[in-house]
Structure formats: structure tokens, C-alpha cells
């Protein structure tokens, strides 16, 4: 399926609209980041918004369900063994990226681990890898089907590989605005957290995009996304209460952005993916005036 102008408009309207609707609780009750259940429930439900945007486009275009499944990466791709290997790598490698990042933060004195309860730390790590990643996966899949399953290939086709990855990352970051304008992830920045989140979403989105394009499947990226969200909680648990950590400088800030950027550069340099062919104008003229019947 080659997307048309109306497809992009519909996708973004549904995706952004649903995100604001389900994440409006902290805004309506006025408690912001102190909203607790409202905040975390909204954050989880937001992750389903992109797949709803995709389904809206598919319904509008009247395309078949087999096309929805195949074109948006739900199968394991042309090389299932490679896809399976990258799923395992994403599951175990994503926590390793986080540990590398926070290890560097510790070396530079930006983060202090609190291992006073080693059994608690071990339990948290095991739970994050073995349990929380799986429970988070359906929500991560909802995001990845929209962003990397549908939007990224469409933007790559029109603008080329680099611009498509950058544009997808920027849109993904700005879509988080219902949360980041409250200071989500970077509470010390207030609304400027929405800008800071660009530094995370662009390089991490590039890694997820590489997984999608390398395999032709959405599953490795969805697992990596779920593993990151699940294991990030561990470092909140292990953060020393005796020293205040600046999130803009640590794992989700400059150090984390650097690790993600270097990782993305290595992946695209050592294991390149082909740039899509057949680029056309962004608002290509459709071959028929009516939606395709699939």
C-alpha cells in the first residue's frame, strides 16, 4: 500500500487525538505528575493509539486483513531465523544498553546505585527481564505497528532512509506531548521535557527502525521497546535516595542519547539496510479517486 495525503492526516488525527483523550486525566485533575494512577494508566493506554490510527487508515482504504498483517510487519519476515535471533538480542541486549548507560553515569558521578538490599535488586532485574517485558509487549506492539510498522516505511519511500527515520523519530517524540509537557521523564524541566524527549526518541527510534528494516518484521522492535520500558523501572528502584539525580544528564539524558546514537550508527554502518526504491512525491496522486477495495 502506498499511502496518500488523506491517509497520513487520518493516521495522525486518530493517533494524536486518542493519545490526548486517554492521557487527559493528569491535566483535568490538575495534579500533573502527582496524578499517580491517572498518569500511568494514561501512559499505558496511549501506547495503543498508533495501532488505532493504523486500523483507521486500513478501514478508510477498505484494504484486506491479510494486507494489514503482511504489509505492516506482523509475520517474521523473509528470514525467520534472523528475526528470531534479533528478537532474542533485543530482549537481552536492550537491558545491556541500559546497564552500560547507567554504568557510564556512575563512572562520571552522575548516578549512584543503591545496592543496600541486593536481593531486592536481583529480584527487580529478573522480574523486569522475564515478567515485565512480556506484560509490556502488547502495548509496545501497539506503538510499533503504527510508528515502525506503517509510518516509517511510508516516509522512507517518500524521503529516503535517513529523512524517514528522522521524521518518524520527531513525530514519535512530539506525540508524547500529553505526558512530556507535564515534565514526564524530565520533571526538573517542566514543559521543556517535550523538547528534551526528542534527544531520546530520534536515536532509539533509529535502532527500532533498523530492527524493522533488517528483518521486515515488527517483532524485534516491539520486544526492544517493551524491554526498554520494563528495565528502565529497575534504575528508579536502584537510584540512591541520598543524592538527587538529574535525568537530563543521566540514562535518559545526554549520556543515554550518546549511547543510543553510537549504537544506531554501528548498526547502520556494520549491518546496512537498503534504502527503499521508488520514491515519489509526498502527496502522490492516487490511481483511483475512490479508496482501494483491496
Amino acid at each position: 500500500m502506498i499511502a496518500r495525503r488523506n491517509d497520513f492526516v487520518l493516521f495522525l488525527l486518530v493517533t494524536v487525538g486518542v493519545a490526548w483523550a486517554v492521557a487527559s486525566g493528569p491535566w483535568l485533575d490538575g495534579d500533573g505528575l502527582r496524578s499517580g494512577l491517572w498518569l500511568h494508566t494514561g501512559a499505558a493506554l496511549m501506547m495503543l493509539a498508533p495501532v488505532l490510527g493504523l486500523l483507521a487508515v486500513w478501514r478508510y482504504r477498505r484494504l484486506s486483513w491479510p494486507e494489514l498483517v503482511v504489509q505492516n510487519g506482523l509475520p517474521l519476515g523473509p528470514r525467520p531465523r534472523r528475526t528470531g535471533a534479533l528478537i532474542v538480542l533485543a530482549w537481552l541486549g536492550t537491558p545491556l544498553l541500559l546497564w552500560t548507560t547507567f554504568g557510564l553515569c556512575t563512572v562520571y558521578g552522575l548516578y549512584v546505585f543503591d545496592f543496600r538490599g541486593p536481593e531486592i535488586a536481583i529480584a527487580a532485574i529478573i522480574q523486569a527481564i522475564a515478567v515485565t517485558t512480556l506484560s509490556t509487549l502488547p502495548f509496545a506492539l501497539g506503538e510499533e505497528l503504527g510508528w515502525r510498522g506503517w509510518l516509517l516505511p511510508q516516509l522512507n519511500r517518500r524521503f529516503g532512509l535517513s529523512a524517514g527515520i528522522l521524521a518518524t523519530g520527531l513525530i514519535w517524540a512530539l506525540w508524547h506531548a500529553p505526558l512530556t509537557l507535564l515534565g514526564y521523564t524530565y520533571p526538573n524541566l517542566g514543559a521543556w521535557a517535550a523538547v528534551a524527549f526528542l534527544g531520546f526518541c530520534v536515536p532509539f527510534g533509529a535502532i527500532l527502525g533498523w530492527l524493522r528494516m533488517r528483518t521486515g518484521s515488527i517483532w524485534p522492535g516491539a520486544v526492544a521497546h517493551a524491554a526498554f520500558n520494563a528495565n528502565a523501572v529497575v534504575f528508579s528502584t536502584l537510584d540512591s535516595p541520598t543524592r538527587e539525580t538529574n535525568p537530563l544528564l543521566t540514562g535518559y539524558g545526554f549520556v543515554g542519547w550518546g549511547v543510543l546514537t553510537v549504537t544506531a550508527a554501528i548498526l547502520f554502518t556494520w549491518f546496512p539496510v537498503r534504502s527503499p526504491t521508488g520514491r515519489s512525491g509526498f502527496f502522490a496522486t492516487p490511481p483511483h479517486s475512490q479508496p482501494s477495495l483491496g
Side-chain angles (χ1 to χ4, degrees):
M1 166 187 157
I2 299 178
R4 308 166 186 172
R5 176 180 57 187
N6 289 347
D7 298 334
F8 287 99
V9 172
L10 177 60
F11 173 80
L12 292 175
L13 282 176
V14 172
T15 302
V16 174
V18 170
W20 274 100
V22 299
S24 60
W27 291 89
L28 295 176
D29 64 18
D31 286 339
L33 296 181
R34 299 184 302 275
S35 190
L37 179 62
W38 272 113
L39 181 70
H40 297 297
T41 300
L45 294 177
M46 268 185 68
M47 299 179 74
L48 301 177
V51 74
L52 294 179
L54 170 60
L55 292 174
V57 172
W58 230 249
R59 177 63 178 170
Y60 168 70
R61 291 288 295 270
R62 301 179 184 177
L63 299 174
S64 68
W65 287 107
E67 288 177 292
L68 172 66
V69 169
V70 173
Q71 292 187 20
N72 296 287
L74 274 172
L76 292 179
R79 299 180 64 177
R81 289 186 178 180
R82 170 190 282 180
T83 302
L86 285 176
I87 287 174
V88 174
L89 179 62
W91 199 326
L92 301 178
T94 303
L96 182 60
L97 276 180
L98 278 166
W99 280 98
T100 300
T101 300
F102 279 90
L104 288 172
C105 292
T106 301
V107 170
Y108 291 109
L110 301 174
Y111 178 87
V112 178
F113 281 102
D114 180 9
F115 289 118
R116 287 178 296 175
E119 67 285 350
I120 297 177
I122 294 172
I125 294 168
I126 294 175
Q127 180 179 8
I129 295 175
V131 179
T132 313
T133 297
L134 285 176
S135 64
T136 307
L137 183 57
F139 299 97
L141 182 63
E143 275 204 55
E144 291 306 310
L145 275 169
W147 301 129
R148 261 67 59 174
W150 184 78
L151 183 63
L152 176 62
Q154 296 295 339
L155 294 180
N156 282 351
R157 183 179 291 116
R158 282 155 181 77
F159 300 127
L161 191 62
S162 298
I165 290 171
L166 176 61
T168 303
L170 292 175
I171 293 170
W172 185 34
L174 295 175
W175 168 81
H176 285 87
L179 300 176
T180 53
L181 285 173
L182 295 170
Y184 197 71
T185 303
Y186 311 96
N188 58 321
L189 295 182
W192 285 103
V195 178
F197 210 53
L198 294 168
F200 166 77
C201 283
V202 171
F204 188 49
I207 294 172
L208 299 178
W210 179 87
L211 290 168
R212 164 72 162 113
M213 291 180 286
R214 183 72 177 174
T215 63
S217 174
I218 206 65
W219 287 104
V223 169
H225 192 156
F228 190 98
N229 288 1
N231 286 273
V233 179
V234 173
F235 299 94
S236 298
T237 304
L238 299 181
D239 192 4
S240 174
T242 61
R243 175 171 177 173
E244 184 176 357
T245 299
N246 185 345
L248 185 61
L249 300 178
T250 55
Y252 317 116
F254 292 115
V255 177
W257 304 347
V259 171
L260 292 173
T261 300
V262 169
T263 302
I266 290 173
L267 290 175
F268 279 95
T269 301
W270 291 0
F271 308 99
V273 294
R274 288 184 298 175
S275 181
T277 57
R279 288 170 57 183
S280 60
F282 183 69
F283 300 134
T285 303
H288 303 287
S289 59
Q290 299 296 324
S292 170
L293 300 178

